[in-house]
Amino acid sequence: MRKILLPTLIIIAASLLVIRVFYLQVVDDSFATKSDNNAIKKQYDYPERGYIYDRYGKLLVANQSSYDIMVIPREIKKDLNITEFCDLLKITKEEYQKRVAKATVYSPRLPSVFLSQLNKSEFAAFQEKIRKYNGFYFQKRSLRDYEVDYGANIFGFITQVDERLIAKNPYYNSGDLIGKQGVEQSYEEVLRGIKGIKYIQKDKYNREIGSYKNGKYDTIAVQGEDITLTIDAELQKYGEELMINKRGGIVAIEPKTGEILALVTAPSYDPAILVGRKRSKNYTLLYHDSIAKPLYDRGLLAEYPPGSPFKILTGLVALQEGVIDENIFTVSCHHGFSYARGRFMRCHCAGGQLQLHRAIYQSCNSYFGTAYMKTINKYQSPSAAVDVWSNHLKTFGLGQFMGYDLPTGKKGKIPNSKTYKQMYPNGGWRSTAIVSNAIGQGEVVMTPIQLANMMATIANQGYYFTPHIIKKIESKKIDPKFTTKHTTSIDKKYFPPIISGLFDVYNMGTASRLKVEGIDICGKTGTAENYTKINGVRTKLKDHSIFVAFAPKDNPKIAIAIMIENGGFGATVAGPIASLMIEKYLKKKISRTDLEIRVLNKSLKEEYAKLGGISAAEAIESTPKDSILKAKIIVPKKITPKAEIKKTTVDTTKDN
């Protein structure tokens, strides 16, 4: 038995190998397409990317034809007339040598992009003489064609894949395009479609002789799917116009769904400048603008002290914890209050005895500072108390990534006991050390989208849906997480008194001059202190202007947050923008043209100049036709702009 076991195993193994070889070489010849690049050439057919529409079906992003010049270094003939070739493509010999060298490093035998994104006229000149240039051929591609000149931060842009991505993802090859930033990145796999492949057979002289196996292995390109965004295109456009010559962000959300209606960052740029052969040059200019930061989406990334709008949450937590009530609990304000020996928190409300309702619409620091301290002092340990407070706030989506469908964002910060143990390693801290949290200063920071979502949650009286920018995909359902309700830890009964106070902010409070006839708006002004380092010295700059709102009061349809860097008082710049955006969305027209004139002509460039340096916008302002940032004042018809921008004067009655 042992004598025949070994020969039997050898015979079986050899038989299996013979059968496998026969199958691969005779029965299944699919691997032949990969066996020899000299004999088989892959030719890709690139599909059009899916179109992008706004919530009402307005086309925002389409496609246009473009052509890449591809090169296979090994096939370039030595007698190539480089001078003629370079003149034809309008490049230098140095550029030619550099591009060929780069392609050779990638692969001397495989095609890679030599020159990308030629338009039709540039390509036509090359096409006439392409037969003279062995080793070069053209690849037709589809580039973005922007139907609007706004929304760049929402769309993102298309760029070539890098070598690291090619190594990680076998779908992409050198020269392929991919979405970066915005929805182009978030929904890349939906928008890009599927490449088609044709296998072309060559003879021993490297000449193409036809389709390999009569096209048996060829595949057809599948066009990318169209997507519909939640964005209201006209509202987005209007928001960007209002933000010209300002820095900051606007986020508007539909409370009942979490759909993002507008996502504005300022300064912005025309998305069309990142298409074509000048894309790289323009992107470099935008990327290196460290002053205005046009590629930095302030609506999602910028973290600011929320200022007085945070008092809304201070009040809700204090109500939930039972340390205040709507009617009985009062605070006596003497333009501030002493919360510790030698410590005084200033207040700019009218003073006197305040209950919750008046404290909200007059934005009383004394009231909410007291309410916050009572919340912390309720518990034996300030560490335990601040964790209770922090956990309440996190149910509003604060202090964490919110899970929206855009590829960038910041968490903000809601401090907890761990925060203060690090700040005070020897202990000894209590409510008096952290009372500035009550009015949105201290260690609290939030992004504009978190502020907007906070107001959507207040409008809904205690719940929200994860903010999102996708409304519909052609043949797919959107992620169910965007239709999942998130409920806060605050009982619903505590929201109506807060909403009543926010409503009177517009009727008799800090935003009484911002009312819009026919719309019941609930809002809150805010002014956040702003410090930076200039030449190594901590310097106080003009405060940030903040405003949050929702409307109408009953059955709210829009919640909004506006943050204007160095804008001053909340009712000065951010507040008017909120009223205008709300009226634009709900009425589709503007009646408060006085506010519109004021905002459109308001420039904060003098304030930003104090930070030093020069931005890309300012550097090219002298030639507006070439400007890639939106820096001109846009004024409606029949409105005369101010002759000049007056210097800012500081008002002594600071609205909170």
Side-chain angles (χ1 to χ4, degrees), residues 303-314 363 365 368 436-442 444-446 451 454 524-529 543-548 563 570 654-656:
E303 298 173 299
Y304 306 94
S308 289
F310 195 77
K311 293 172 184 175
I312 300 168
L313 298 180
T314 299
S363 196
N365 287 350
F368 290 101
S436 55
N437 287 334
I439 58 173
Q441 297 284 169
V444 175
V445 291
M446 293 169 63
L451 276 167
M454 176 191 82
K524 185 73 190 74
T525 53
T527 307
E529 292 185 346
D543 295 335
H544 295 321
S545 178
I546 310 166
F547 201 92
V548 295
M563 174 69 74
K654 184 175 184 180
D655 77 284
N656 293 298

Side-chain angles (χ1 to χ4, degrees), residues 420-440:
Y420 295 112
K421 285 175 184 177
Q422 292 173 343
M423 292 176 63
Y424 302 96
N426 297 323
W429 63 276
R430 51 185 183 271
S431 62
T432 54
I434 61 174
V435 67
S436 55
N437 287 334
I439 58 173

Side-chain angles (χ1 to χ4, degrees), residues 141-189:
R141 295 186 191 273
S142 176
L143 296 183
R144 281 315 204 184
D145 184 17
Y146 295 98
E147 307 300 309
V148 296
D149 62 356
Y150 49 85
N153 61 309
I154 294 172
F155 305 139
F157 54 91
I158 306 299
T159 188
Q160 287 187 21
V161 294
D162 56 33
E163 294 180 4
R164 287 178 299 176
L165 182 61
I166 293 171
K168 287 195 300 185
N169 192 331
Y171 176 85
Y172 296 101
N173 299 302
S174 178
D176 282 5
L177 302 176
I178 190 171
K180 283 290 181 71
Q181 297 185 9
V183 295
E184 294 282 17
Q185 179 173 332
S186 295
Y187 293 96
E188 161 69 9
E189 292 188 8

